[in-house]
């Protein structure tokens, strides 16, 4: 069959799924180029390239996106204390925009009318990839095989994929498949689906790939220091190793190594996906967890109360939701991030931390000055309280008139209403 | 001197400050009644009563407020995941409203026109107490000696208080004063002021009163289970001890004992006070930390996504701010808490936890069912993404028309504007 | 053809579209029952019933939902000052939940497995109806012909519908079709689509059905009074007519009559639909506009500042978005409306209004007492300002240290960052 | 008496109050310089200068701040649709920061250690002025006579001021004092206090200074056009007069003249002051009202839905509160305004308006293109609705299991909880 349908750039992982998708796309009549992004995951890129070409890809592209991943995605998330539903640090969400941008850049360069990916039809990543594609190149066409009945009806399970791979001469690694899916980058690794879909299943201890279990972490705490400028880490010092790191990517890798050793950054949660279903996810984000704790601590010392309150209620929450839902290349993301620099102007200083068995402790010497308590008299506070109480007294007087004074213990939920 | 000024109810602690205040109020011409609240702090109430009467109080009142503290203040805070500036669980803020209400009840009963307290003139607690007094009894008069120049000019330091105590025959405990202030109740203990005002001072290890240091906590994790109904804990099970707790106060005390043993719930932060100064505070909230982690986890399984998002952005943040700023007896508190029950209707289930050296791990078997991923087709998601992308494509088209397409790496902060 | 597919309850309007849909559903193999809701629109229900039965409906149901429309939907919207994108009072959005509930009640009673409607595939109403159906009866099946290719490909325009009507013997009213769509109920009438899709087209003056143009309204202002209890209108007095209205529906109809006469409540806007497209809509909401102005005014006099601020930022905005997007039967709607009563406890009083050529003026005598300015001393304000300025002075000192003091005129958008 | 206390710069108005304050400050021992700001109010500045020097001011300064008032304060407020408590356009709040900055610039230049003003001790303006002073020059000292007992006890009423004026030889204008206070600038005029404190008093018709009453406005509508770039007006066209305005100040004055003629921009409200009391205010903001209506309308056509929603809920509300409470020179103002430009990038186009007897009608031809409805299929919407309904169906299923399905009419306020 000729490539009559056009040229498609496929986000290729080297695994069984995307190899079968590659072969299937060729079978449908596409000319397929394969794309891999290096966002810090542990991967044999050379083997993947060889495999993609063997399966039939006409070209293979590897984009090293680690630095832009750190400086353009992770850094604003650090400054904004981004977090989804109180616990998830958004490691996968953060990587998707740079990968999508890398793909669109190659698609533009190589004249691909189509992009394709191997995301399932029930997850967040399909949404994140595709909205990013459209936000960058609105006329791009997307081929999502796991949402095309001709594909998913043909491959109802792993066995069908294996049979197809054999038929197409796709080499299959002989190790048994893990009973879950993972996504790894230099920010984190995630585990989901498979046996993890049952929230009553405790993940097997050997699932956790990045971090030592807190129980197995060193008995001795380790002390490190992180210096921030405008809310961003500019130097990490590890006295025990007599090491200093100042490069953005190296800082992240160094914090990862420290966090992994000390069992920091494991979570196991049930979260709400953009499409409205609940989903269980296990995550390891060692360096990111350390960095967030340090940043939040430094903001306590350096950020104005009202800026912090507004930033927490608006920027943190909205930026996190935008990232999670795949709305990075949108006008609302531009709007929300445009307020971040003004919030970080004063977030400068050194934070010293103690890492110990899953704990990130702030232990001393912040080297950032705190306001003193001076500049006002105790009698000023009397005036402040009198003014603050004006409307509260009015309310209390009205309650008393209605026989609803608050002295008697009563239900707190406003049952008087 | 006769008690010509009237009758004052003094919040008495048994310590040097409020004993001197008691004597000073009498000296000014007040008839003084002393009030103590039992909110779970470790205290020799009998000795305090004896001392108050010895110093000159005409009457002494002890109010056991533990149960209403747990059920009326702590419980809504648990349901709302209340937290101030990302880290502080609001232990002191939560106790002030019940103590103030206890005092106003006695002031009403005993015909006191005045209430008095020993809070400093630069802290939050003076505001919390007084706004609560005014919200309950708007015509109450407050005597705040630490904001009255005649008092604070006379007692510029501890020595002046000791001298006054000697002169007034006030018995002084011979143990050296701690170089910080504390506030304790069954939710937490706080440490602030004194040497802690310098954020570069690491608290001495013997300051921490409630919790074992994580380093010294048991090497063996401990497993427990908490059952929730409508977002509130109704049963705590401790298998190793073959114990079950179902009473509200006992549940809290049991979780405290477990948390203390395993080094859970220490924080050391710089926070922004209501009056606008920054302040360093150290806190131990063992049981509350466990309860919050369990509640947040269960909400992941049981709370609708949109309810959770609205509750997090509105109720959690506003209720926490209200508590911190002492606005409990206000119309806005009624307004905000009135939405809590509707958010907790579905928060039912069992959470199993592993406590280990400062960590609260969620380890398995939630016994609360999660949504299945069913009920829609992968092709539905295609439609969802198409609709979601409509306005994003329009934006991208406009960007392209203006030569501002997002493919080239660029600053994320909207510098194109 | 037998009715092998099952029984469907069709939201029937009596017009050409739903009559053709009725015939087409029968043709497909459904047994069709027709449903009409009386939500106050001007309609010949008897003629519509006759027509539905003539076209082939097996049964016809007319539900008078006016009272529940007013008391269950409109009233909370009045209390919450619901408004979408600053201008739209949500008249269509408010009617959809009661109509959907009325349909589901009949569907349950009559054993219909399907419901059907004539909404287009690009508007909000399809979403509002269907999400309401699912929120009430999650296993209901929806037939939306305008999203079924077999239907919309067959009927690409009005001519095809007319031809089908002729073939099926459907009586067609001979008056020319209006070049726009309308939706009418006792809250408002809307006009959209057709020639209105071009925002540069001024609506023809004879489009506006409900209200007199301000230019043609009476030269004499008219004075009326509205009495509110807990934020709801309980009495409307029209002195010129010596009339009083106290029934919920009658109050609404009386305000409508007054507003229509005086040219009140016309708007012509471009709004953002839930599905992300922009849409031009013209609306007349005479009574609702008067009621909102009166309610907002009374809240100025009676609502606590902080409750008002929180309600405006949270309840008003979120409830309006929920209504607009068709999320009425959802947990988030329950959550959001649960806070409304606590906000309206104090909203009691009489508001006097002057209606004149499109203006709703508040003219005098509120008969609701305002706080007096008493209860504090000017010197208290000095203390308040000193405390308020603590953190501002710190910020200014830091600016001065950095040479960034604000005295020189400069750009306000934080360019110093 | 020598000027031993130092040099004070007094915000001088030329009226009785600040003339007496001027004399009193000299009496206290200050050297007084007088300051007036021209922010567009109708005023005889030359007469005021003469009077100030006659009363004893050593120097007199007049600062023309009209342009920076428009471009630095009013313009961001226009872009953000700033409004307080739904109705007040913040005219006085907007002028205070530029006046305070003008004063601090002169105080710096002339070596004044003190600034003074004649604001009352119960209003917002004292707070706005003083927080602005401190935010610009944290060590400035403020003399606020109406909060100094020695002053306000001496001058309990107008008679005492008149007697003092006679004694000090201060010329008093013979016209009777108005029974209210006013503040005027090119954005608006306000009326408050005096007889207006009683909300049951209808303002006398001759109080309104700027605008014709709608009843007396022309019978003929007038059509104008406003062109916006990045959310700011760049050209106003008045066809009937064959006039065009492109200068920032002239645009504002032209819109004012139009609004005044057509009775636009009167409001009469009760608002909540920063210090917690309620206050009745009447305002005329003719040009600002027209500009806001036009800007809101254009945003409907040009602003992305999500940007608009976030901007409305965050920027509009927070910036308005910041302005009202006098927090302009603060870090939170920098934070909030830093997001405005990103929200206005697309707000370009022409708006045509019809002014008629208090109404601002949008009548046709926006000359700004709207999105078309294309780019998706009706079947896509089916997928969108299916995905949107996933969590709603789960909720409905749970309700049905609990016997709480929503079909039966019931109270909307979540009473099932």
């Amino acid at each position: 069959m000729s490539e009559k349908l056009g040229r498609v750039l496929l986000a290729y992982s080297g695994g069984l799924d995307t190899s079968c998708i590659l072969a299937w796309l060729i079978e449908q009549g596409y000319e397929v180029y394969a794309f891999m992004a290096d966002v810090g995951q542990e991967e044999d890129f050379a083997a993947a390239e060889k495999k993609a070409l063997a399966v039939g890809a006409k070209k293979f592209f590897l984009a090293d996106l680690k630095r832009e991943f750190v400086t353009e995605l992770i850094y604003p998330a650090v400054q904004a204390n981004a977090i989804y539903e109180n616990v998830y640090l958004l490691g996968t969400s953060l990587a998707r925009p740079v990968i999508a941008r890398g793909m669109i850049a190659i698609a533009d360069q190589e004249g691909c009318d189509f992009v394709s990916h191997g995301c399932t039809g029930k997850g967040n990543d399909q949404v994140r990839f595709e909205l990013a594609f459209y936000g960058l190149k609105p006329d791009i066409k997307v081929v999502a095989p796991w949402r095309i009945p001709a594909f998913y009806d043909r491959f109802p399970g792993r066995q069908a994929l294996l049979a197809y791979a054999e038929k197409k001469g796709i080499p299959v690694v002989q190790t048994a498949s893990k009973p879950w899916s993972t996504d790894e980058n230099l920010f984190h690794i995630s585990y989901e689906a498979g046996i993890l879909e049952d929230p009553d299943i405790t993940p097997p201890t050997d699932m956790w790939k990045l971090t030592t279990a807190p129980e197995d972490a060193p008995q001795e705490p380790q002390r490190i220091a992180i210096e921030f400028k405008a809310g961003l880490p500019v130097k990490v010092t590890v006295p025990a190793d007599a090491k200093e790191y100042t490069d953005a990517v190296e800082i992240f890798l160094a914090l990862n190594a420290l966090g992994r050793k000390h069992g920091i950054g494991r979570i196991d949660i049930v979260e709400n996906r953009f499409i409205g279903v609940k989903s269980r996810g296990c995550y390891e984000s060692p360096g990111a967890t350390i960095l967030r704790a340090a940043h939040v601590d430094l903001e306590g010392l350096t950020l104005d109360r009202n800026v912090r309150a507004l930033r927490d209620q608006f920027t943190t929450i909205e930026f996190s939701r935008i990232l999670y839902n795949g709305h990075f290349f949108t006008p609302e993301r531009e709007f929300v991030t445009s307020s971040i620099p003004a919030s970080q102007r004063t977030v400068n200083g050194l934070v010293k931390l103690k890492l110990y068995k899953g704990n990130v402790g702030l232990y001393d010497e912040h080297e950032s000055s705190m306001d003193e308590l001076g500049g006002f008299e105790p009698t000023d506070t009397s005036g402040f309280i009198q003014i603050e109480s004006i409307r509260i007294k009015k309310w209390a007087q009205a309650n008393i008139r209605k026989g609803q004074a608050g002295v008697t213990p009563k239900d707190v939920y406003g049952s008087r209403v």
Side-chain angles (χ1 to χ4, degrees), chain A:
Chain A
M1 187 184 289
S2 67
E3 284 99 11
K4 60 175 192 289
L5 292 177
R7 188 173 295 158
V8 62
L9 185 67
L10 170 65
Y12 184 67
S13 75
L16 177 62
D17 280 40
T18 53
S19 297
C20 288
I21 288 172
L22 203 169
W24 183 84
L25 288 168
I26 295 167
E27 195 179 293
Q28 301 308 301
Y30 291 96
E31 180 184 38
V32 185
Y33 287 10
F35 174 89
M36 288 190 82
D38 178 0
V39 285
Q41 73 275 39
E42 191 180 286
E43 193 80 76
D44 185 341
F45 294 109
E49 174 171 8
K50 196 175 148 194
K51 188 169 175 181
L53 297 173
V55 178
K58 288 286 169 66
K59 291 192 182 179
F60 176 91
F61 300 88
L62 174 65
D64 180 353
L65 305 173
K66 291 196 292 293
R67 186 159 305 275
E68 63 186 86
F69 179 33
V70 172
T71 59
E72 296 186 40
L73 272 294
I74 293 176
Y75 271 12
V78 167
Q79 291 181 304
N81 297 331
I83 197 164
Y84 182 69
E85 294 192 340
N86 306 306
V87 275
Y88 171 43
L89 296 185
L90 296 157
T92 296
S93 317
L94 287 164
R96 295 319 186 205
V98 285
I99 297 172
R101 191 168 62 187
M103 282 186 75
I104 293 295
I106 299 293
D108 268 351
Q109 171 192 301
E110 300 293 325
C112 303
D113 291 326
F114 299 85
V115 289
S116 183
H117 61 73
C119 305
T120 73
K122 299 192 168 182
N124 289 309
D125 282 332
Q126 56 177 343
V127 184
R128 292 172 187 150
F129 272 125
E130 296 180 27
L131 294 184
F133 294 149
Y134 294 134
L136 293 167
K137 191 175 170 63
D139 57 351
I140 194 74
K141 281 168 269 183
V142 177
V143 183
W146 287 118
R147 296 202 312 266
I148 298 172
F151 184 87
Y152 66 72
D153 287 345
R154 180 163 168 191
F155 302 107
R158 186 169 160 82
Q159 285 313 312
L161 289 168
L162 286 170
Y164 186 71
E166 188 173 7
K167 179 179 138 198
K168 292 285 176 179
I170 299 171
V172 177
V173 181
Q174 290 309 315
T175 57
S177 168
K178 302 278 188 185
W180 50 72
S181 304
T182 68
D183 176 63
E184 186 182 0
N185 58 52
L186 57 77
F187 189 96
H188 92 334
I189 189 168
S190 69
Y191 312 89
E192 60 171 26
I195 61 166
L196 300 176
E197 280 184 17
D198 179 351
D200 289 354
I201 297 290
T202 302
T205 52
D206 68 352
M207 178 191 79
W208 304 99
K209 177 183 166 186
L210 297 187
T211 58
T212 307
E215 290 90 331
D216 303 328
Q219 292 289 343
E220 283 305 304
Q222 178 155 20
R223 284 156 205 271
I224 66 167
I226 306 178
E227 187 182 342
F228 287 87
K229 282 220 167 78
L232 293 175
V234 293
K235 185 158 73 178
V236 166
T237 312
V238 187
D241 306 343
K243 287 270 179 67
E244 270 188 18
Y245 305 89
T246 55
D247 173 78
V249 174
E250 283 176 15
I251 280 175
F252 219 87
L253 297 175
L255 291 175
N256 268 343
L258 291 160
R260 293 167 78 143
K261 179 177 171 193
H262 292 285
I264 289 163
R266 284 189 182 185
I267 57 170
D268 176 357
I269 61 166
V270 174
E271 74 199 43
N272 291 294
R273 289 189 187 160
F274 185 27
I275 61 169
V277 295
K278 288 185 177 291
S279 164
R280 197 259 196 100
C282 299
Y283 303 95
E284 295 172 279
S285 313
T289 300
I290 298 171
L291 205 46
R292 188 173 195 278
H295 186 261
V296 167
D297 179 68
L298 184 61
E299 288 195 337
L301 265 162
T302 58
L303 202 51
D304 173 80
R305 181 191 63 187
N306 287 20
V307 173
R308 184 171 184 170
L310 291 171
R311 199 277 322 269
D312 284 353
Q313 190 162 20
F314 168 69
T315 315
T316 301
I317 287 179
E318 300 297 347
F319 187 39
S320 302
R321 177 153 42 207
I322 282 167
L323 286 168
Y324 189 83
N325 291 348
H327 287 170
F328 191 81
F329 296 110
T330 63
E332 64 265 30
R333 199 273 310 152
E334 279 201 354
F335 174 64
V336 169
T337 52
S338 71
S339 69
I340 294 178
S343 76
Q344 298 293 295
R345 208 161 55 93
T346 61
V347 185
N348 306 298
L350 188 74
V351 182
K352 295 197 176 181
L353 303 152
K354 187 174 71 173
L355 312 179
Y356 174 68
K357 285 185 170 288
N359 297 280
V360 182
L362 291 310
Y363 77 103
D364 68 8
E365 289 174 67
H366 292 79
E367 291 190 14
S368 173
S369 65
M370 187 169 70
D371 305 344
E372 285 161 37
L373 286 170
F376 66 104
E377 295 301 312
T379 45
D380 291 334
T381 318
S382 296
F384 178 77
I385 294 173
Q386 285 309 312
I387 299 296
E388 276 291 322
S389 70
I390 291 172
R391 62 180 188 85
I392 298 173
K393 287 177 182 168
K394 300 284 175 196
W395 174 76
Q397 285 161 354
N399 286 339
I400 287 166
R401 277 197 302 273
K402 293 176 200 155
Q404 295 169 326
V407 175
T408 317
K410 61 166 195 62
D411 176 64
V412 292
Y413 300 119
S415 60
R416 76 171 65 168
V417 174

